[in-house]
Amino acid sequence: MTDKYQARRAALLEEIYELIDKEGYEALRVRYLCGRLGISTGTFYHYFPEKYELHQLLYRRIDEYFQQRVQPRFTDDEAANLMLFAECYGEYCMQTGVAATRCFMALPLQPQGDELISDRRPISRLLEGILERGKSKGQFRCSYSTRDCARYTMVVLRGFCSDWAKRDGGYDLVEVIRRFFPISLTGLQG
Amino acid sequence: MTDKYQARRAALLEEIYELIDKEGYEALRVRYLCGRLGISTGTFYHYFPEKYELHQLLYRRIDEYFQQRVQPRFTDDEAANLMLFAECYGEYCMQTGVAATRCFMALPLQPQGDELISDRRPISRLLEGILERGKSKGQFRCSYSTRDCARYTMVVLRGFCSDWAKRDGGYDLVEVIRRFFPISLTGLQG
Amino acid sequence: MTDKYQARRAALLEEIYELIDKEGYEALRVRYLCGRLGISTGTFYHYFPEKYELHQLLYRRIDEYFQQRVQPRFTDDEAANLMLFAECYGEYCMQTGVAATRCFMALPLQPQGDELISDRRPISRLLEGILERGKSKGQFRCSYSTRDCARYTMVVLRGFCSDWAKRDGGYDLVEVIRRFFPISLTGLQG
Amino acid sequence: MTDKYQARRAALLEEIYELIDKEGYEALRVRYLCGRLGISTGTFYHYFPEKYELHQLLYRRIDEYFQQRVQPRFTDDEAANLMLFAECYGEYCMQTGVAATRCFMALPLQPQGDELISDRRPISRLLEGILERGKSKGQFRCSYSTRDCARYTMVVLRGFCSDWAKRDGGYDLVEVIRRFFPISLTGLQG
DNA sequence: GATGAATGAGAGTTCATTCAT
DNA sequence: CATGAATGAACTCTCATTCAT
């Protein structure tokens, strides 16, 4: 049954995320992973035909997180929404763990050049929505286009998260974002 | 003779930097490297006991670059100096190449937990100097401490460079920094 | 019920032959096979306890083909019969496909050393019948025994078919046999 | 030194041929091979970057054998030369062993479609030379072109050798060729 | 100083087969 | 009868590093 398959896959994935968190993606060897999961390599490949699939899923997950958990909390104040967006981005990284953050912040692009980091991903469109509405409400008055502002925001946020991962998660990322992201916010508000 | 040894090592290093630039650190196999260098693996290990040493040297290099090439160009205008700092950081990445940038922006932390990314590295002290003087000259009026401002600046700059590397160097990084860094500069000036 | 079992097995076999034809025996993975057949691996193993069984059946099939399709077309002219035999052998290979031909021409001997390539197989007895009658009718006057002539004929025919398979079926095998087998026929007629 | 490398490679190759003979090419696993050779897998790959190379070499070897050992024994009698050619082909197979013969008679073509079984290989040109001269001397009067005759001859010889390998080398191949090849010779002489 | 042959653990992945449901 | 999740030994090949020459 496909449902059963999907359920088992999802269950394994949860455990796998924890292990990626502890060990990192590249360092996580399939054999070791299977040992920790208590399954055979054959079973692993039954559910994840390629190791790389694990990596891809990290990207999809943040999209889901933002669509399901963050978006509903948006209000009419777009500056506040942007701040929430930033905080949640950090929160997600902290929940995901250092190693996984490192991996999905930093891993070289995949050969196929797929759309994983594309600006067209749901999370990017969410961000553009905030900025768009903010502009029309007069909350953001900087001269850059919505697209440019979104990209700048993502660049800065990824900068924060990378730093946090580089320093092995040795501080409270959300707090740092809450403290320093306003510098960027000021710039965006013009 | 130690001098001869050091000279040879430095000469090899120059060539190695170019290769890391082209191929990236991880993808650069020792055997291939030796082939391109026209030396045997034995000789390579004579000068660089571990491959990882090459990686460490990438960090030291940017310090030298900033001390020797950038600092002399500083003027009395600290905001201009900060802008120059940001542009040169991007310039350095573009010269260093995509793969090497990716590597030294993004690579997982060093096992030994050394001081490579430390805030005490020369490049950080250079940046703090700009901000320190800027504050006393009244050019930067934001409420954050010098250390905090420096760190925020580095976070943003690494964000820019990571993005560039993630997108395979598909645009002019210096131009993008020149265009968007002012958003952050505005925030820092308060 | 055994009859139902046999019927299903035969039906599956027909489809399997086509797939072996397209993909070859070795390259045909059980999982893929099952996918194409629309059955589960469990079901496959219910009907064919070992994959190797498929391979064995390829040999039995040519015997059936010659007994049911070729023999009825024999006439009184044994030289013509021999030519027909040769052409049909090629025709069978072309119908069976390159990969399957390769496989049943060339595959290493079966572990169990069974009688699959034995001179006692029906197809060999058919050939010997032609030569026997041809000798008594004075059509074949060469000095070799019937058994020897039959064996020589099979060697040559397998040579043709192997070559065709080696060249990936890049030419009309029947035409080539029709053109070149007479060289051998001449030798056999003495 | 390249000479040393080539010498070692050749020495290993000799041992490898014996093992291919015993075990066959496909069944000969690299690990097992290394175990028998007393070398590490790394060393194996140092000398033979791909396993497939072993297979390629089997083809080159027969070319060398014919050029160095057989050609010098040719005389003015081209029918005798053709007979010698056939016998030596069998002799080579017997020396090479059953499994290796099976392998190089029968293995499916390599993906790259290289020239291993090409009619342009030295051994083919040798054979064509015999037939060419035989024609001009009036020894071969059949109506087929030289190219066609050569190809027919190879088809027949490969038929003999395949049969021998299929029957696990259970008889004297050279003797069988000596006895039955004349049937084909008759056909070629027209 | 310089060489490069040798190492070997370890990588990701495959696939015929089993068996509880 | 039928399923398909589970198995795990086995596969080819990689590559940083060592060390006798």
Side-chain angles (χ1 to χ4, degrees):
Chain A
M1 209 168 296
T2 302
D3 280 356
K4 223 164 132 187
Y5 177 89
Q6 289 299 344
R8 181 84 212 270
R9 192 181 133 109
L12 288 172
L13 215 41
E14 273 314 301
E15 290 188 68
I16 291 170
Y17 283 144
E18 284 176 36
L19 286 164
I20 289 186
D21 178 14
K22 278 186 208 116
E23 323 274 351
Y25 170 77
E26 303 247 289
L28 190 62
R29 304 311 177 174
V30 173
R31 247 177 200 52
Y32 173 80
L33 179 69
C34 292
R36 296 296 301 268
L37 255 43
I39 60 173
S40 65
T41 58
T43 299
F44 172 80
Y45 280 93
H46 182 58
Y47 290 102
F48 308 98
E50 279 190 83
K51 189 196 173 193
Y52 166 58
E53 202 149 307
L54 303 181
H55 177 221
Q56 287 181 302
L57 290 165
L58 282 175
Y59 284 93
R60 304 235 168 81
R61 206 188 178 205
I62 194 169
D63 287 327
E64 283 173 28
Y65 178 81
F66 269 81
Q67 290 179 302
Q68 292 169 12
R69 308 282 172 87
V70 182
Q71 198 169 17
R73 294 165 59 193
F74 283 169
T75 66
D76 275 348
D77 181 349
E78 304 301 344
N81 288 343
L82 191 53
M83 199 61 218
L84 180 66
F85 183 96
E87 284 172 27
C88 287
Y89 199 83
E91 203 169 75
Y92 177 81
C93 288
M94 287 189 82
Q95 276 170 24
T96 297
V98 168
T101 294
R102 188 137 58 208
C103 144
F104 102 107
M105 282 299 139
L107 256 184
L109 274 185
Q110 300 321 313
Q112 298 87 340
D114 50 38
E115 307 206 356
L116 290 183
I117 61 153
S118 155
D119 302 321
R120 301 267 53 79
R121 275 175 51 214
I123 194 171
S124 295
R125 275 178 283 142
L126 212 65
L127 178 57
E128 285 179 24
I130 296 172
L131 293 162
E132 190 72 49
R133 291 189 303 274
K135 284 214 160 187
S136 59
K137 290 176 192 170
Q139 288 192 278
F140 303 128
R141 279 180 312 263
C142 78
S143 54
Y144 300 95
S145 75
T146 301
R147 281 288 293 275
D148 282 348
C149 290
R151 202 160 143 190
Y152 169 80
T153 305
M154 286 309 296
V155 161
V156 170
L157 283 178
R158 282 205 298 262
F160 278 118
C161 298
S162 296
D163 185 81
W164 176 76
K166 273 208 163 196
R167 291 165 199 272
D168 265 327
Y171 55 82
D172 186 324
L173 173 58
V174 174
E175 198 195 299
V176 164
I177 287 177
R178 199 172 287 146
R179 225 177 119 209
F180 291 104
F181 186 71
I183 303 182
S184 301
L185 200 53
T186 303
L188 288 168
Q189 290 173 316
Chain B
M1 210 166 294
T2 301
D3 277 357
K4 224 165 134 189
Y5 177 90
Q6 289 299 344
R8 181 85 208 268
R9 190 181 132 109
L12 288 172
L13 215 40
E14 272 314 299
E15 291 188 66
I16 291 171
Y17 282 144
E18 284 177 37
L19 286 165
I20 289 185
D21 176 13
K22 276 187 211 116
E23 324 274 351
Y25 169 79
E26 304 245 291
L28 191 64
R29 307 310 176 181
V30 173
R31 215 188 278 318
Y32 172 81
L33 180 69
C34 292
R36 297 296 300 266
L37 255 46
I39 61 174
S40 65
T41 57
T43 300
F44 174 81
Y45 278 92
H46 181 61
Y47 289 103
F48 308 96
E50 279 189 85
K51 188 198 173 192
Y52 166 62
E53 203 149 306
L54 304 182
H55 178 221
Q56 287 180 302
L57 292 164
L58 280 178
Y59 284 94
R60 306 238 165 80
R61 205 192 181 201
I62 192 169
D63 287 327
E64 284 173 27
Y65 177 82
F66 269 81
Q67 290 180 302
Q68 292 169 13
R69 308 282 172 90
V70 182
Q71 199 169 17
R73 293 164 61 194
F74 284 168
T75 65
D76 275 347
D77 181 350
E78 304 300 343
N81 288 343
L82 191 53
M83 200 61 219
L84 179 66
F85 182 96
E87 283 172 26
C88 287
Y89 198 83
E91 203 169 75
Y92 178 81
C93 287
M94 287 189 82
Q95 276 170 24
T96 298
V98 167
T101 295
R102 188 136 60 207
C103 141
F104 102 109
M105 280 299 136
L107 256 185
L109 276 185
Q110 315 324 321
Q112 297 89 334
D114 52 37
E115 306 205 357
L116 291 183
I117 61 153
S118 155
D119 302 321
R120 303 267 51 79
R121 275 173 49 211
I123 191 171
S124 294
R125 275 179 283 142
L126 211 64
L127 178 57
E128 285 179 27
I130 296 171
L131 293 161
E132 190 72 49
R133 291 190 302 275
K135 283 213 162 187
S136 59
K137 291 177 192 167
Q139 288 191 278
F140 302 128
R141 281 180 309 263
C142 77
S143 56
Y144 300 94
S145 74
T146 301
R147 280 288 293 274
D148 281 349
C149 290
R151 200 159 142 190
Y152 169 80
T153 305
M154 287 308 297
V155 162
V156 171
L157 282 179
R158 282 204 297 261
F160 278 117
C161 298
S162 297
D163 185 82
W164 177 76
K166 273 208 163 194
R167 291 165 200 273
D168 267 326
Y171 55 83
D172 186 325
L173 174 58
V174 173
E175 196 194 302
V176 165
I177 288 178
R178 202 172 284 147
R179 218 173 128 214
F180 292 104
F181 188 71
I183 303 183
S184 300
L185 200 53
T186 303
L188 288 168
Q189 290 173 319
Chain C
M1 207 166 299
T2 303
D3 277 357
K4 225 166 132 187
Y5 178 89
Q6 287 300 343
R8 181 88 208 268
R9 190 180 132 109
L12 289 172
L13 214 41
E14 272 313 300
E15 290 189 67
I16 290 170
Y17 283 145
E18 283 177 38
L19 287 164
I20 290 185
D21 176 14
K22 275 185 211 118
E23 323 274 349
Y25 169 77
E26 304 246 290
L28 190 65
R29 305 310 175 183
V30 173
R31 216 190 275 318
Y32 172 81
L33 180 67
C34 292
R36 298 295 300 266
L37 255 43
I39 60 173
S40 66
T41 56
T43 300
F44 174 81
Y45 279 93
H46 181 61
Y47 290 103
F48 309 97
E50 279 190 84
K51 188 197 174 192
Y52 165 60
E53 205 152 304
L54 304 181
H55 178 220
Q56 287 181 302
L57 291 165
L58 281 177
Y59 283 95
R60 304 238 167 81
R61 203 192 182 202
I62 192 169
D63 288 328
E64 283 172 28
Y65 177 82
F66 269 81
Q67 289 178 304
Q68 291 169 13
R69 308 282 172 89
V70 182
Q71 198 168 20
R73 293 165 62 194
F74 284 167
T75 65
D76 273 348
D77 181 349
E78 302 302 341
N81 288 344
L82 191 54
M83 201 60 220
L84 179 66
F85 183 97
E87 283 173 25
C88 287
Y89 199 82
E91 203 169 74
Y92 178 80
C93 287
M94 287 189 83
Q95 275 170 25
T96 297
V98 167
T101 294
R102 188 136 60 206
C103 140
F104 100 109
M105 280 301 135
L107 257 185
L109 276 185
Q110 319 321 322
Q112 297 88 337
D114 51 38
E115 305 206 356
L116 290 183
I117 60 153
S118 155
D119 303 322
R120 300 270 50 78
R121 275 174 51 211
I123 193 172
S124 295
R125 273 179 285 141
L126 211 65
L127 178 58
E128 286 180 24
I130 296 172
L131 293 161
E132 189 72 49
R133 291 190 302 275
K135 283 214 159 186
S136 59
K137 289 176 192 172
Q139 288 191 279
F140 302 128
R141 282 181 310 264
C142 77
S143 55
Y144 299 95
S145 74
T146 301
R147 282 284 297 275
D148 281 349
C149 289
R151 203 161 142 190
Y152 170 79
T153 304
M154 287 309 297
V155 161
V156 169
L157 283 178
R158 282 205 298 263
F160 278 116
C161 299
S162 297
D163 184 82
W164 177 75
K166 273 208 161 193
R167 292 165 198 272
D168 266 327
Y171 55 82
D172 186 324
L173 174 57
V174 174
E175 198 195 299
V176 164
I177 288 178
R178 201 172 286 146
R179 219 174 126 215
F180 291 104
F181 186 71
I183 303 183
S184 300
L185 199 55
T186 304
L188 287 168
Q189 292 174 316
Chain D
M1 207 168 296
T2 299
D3 279 357
K4 222 165 135 188
Y5 178 88
Q6 288 298 345
R8 182 83 213 269
R9 191 180 134 110
L12 288 172
L13 215 41
E14 274 312 302
E15 290 189 67
I16 291 171
Y17 282 145
E18 284 176 37
L19 286 165
I20 290 186
D21 178 17
K22 277 187 209 116
E23 322 275 350
Y25 170 77
E26 304 246 289
L28 190 64
R29 304 311 177 174
V30 173
R31 241 179 199 52
Y32 172 81
L33 180 69
C34 292
R36 295 296 300 268
L37 255 44
I39 60 174
S40 65
T41 59
T43 299
F44 173 80
Y45 280 94
H46 182 59
Y47 289 102
F48 308 97
E50 280 190 82
K51 190 197 172 192
Y52 166 57
E53 203 151 307
L54 302 182
H55 177 220
Q56 288 181 301
L57 290 165
L58 282 177
Y59 284 94
R60 303 236 169 82
R61 203 189 182 204
I62 193 170
D63 286 327
E64 284 174 27
Y65 177 82
F66 269 80
Q67 289 179 303
Q68 291 169 13
R69 307 284 171 88
V70 182
Q71 197 168 19
R73 293 165 60 194
F74 284 168
T75 66
D76 275 348
D77 181 350
E78 303 300 343
N81 288 344
L82 191 55
M83 199 62 220
L84 179 67
F85 183 97
E87 283 173 27
C88 287
Y89 199 84
E91 202 169 77
Y92 177 81
C93 288
M94 288 189 80
Q95 275 170 25
T96 297
V98 167
T101 294
R102 188 138 59 209
C103 143
F104 100 106
M105 281 298 139
L107 255 184
L109 274 186
Q110 300 320 313
Q112 298 88 337
D114 50 39
E115 307 207 356
L116 290 184
I117 61 151
S118 156
D119 303 321
R120 301 268 51 81
R121 276 175 49 212
I123 192 171
S124 295
R125 275 179 282 142
L126 212 63
L127 177 58
E128 285 180 25
I130 295 172
L131 293 161
E132 189 74 48
R133 291 189 302 273
K135 283 213 161 187
S136 59
K137 290 176 190 170
Q139 287 191 281
F140 302 129
R141 280 179 311 261
C142 74
S143 55
Y144 299 94
S145 74
T146 301
R147 281 288 294 274
D148 281 348
C149 289
R151 202 160 144 190
Y152 170 80
T153 304
M154 286 309 297
V155 161
V156 170
L157 282 179
R158 282 205 297 261
F160 278 117
C161 298
S162 296
D163 184 82
W164 176 76
K166 273 209 163 192
R167 293 165 199 273
D168 265 328
Y171 55 82
D172 186 325
L173 174 58
V174 174
E175 198 195 300
V176 164
I177 288 177
R178 201 172 287 146
R179 222 175 122 211
F180 292 104
F181 187 71
I183 302 182
S184 300
L185 199 53
T186 303
L188 288 168
Q189 291 174 317

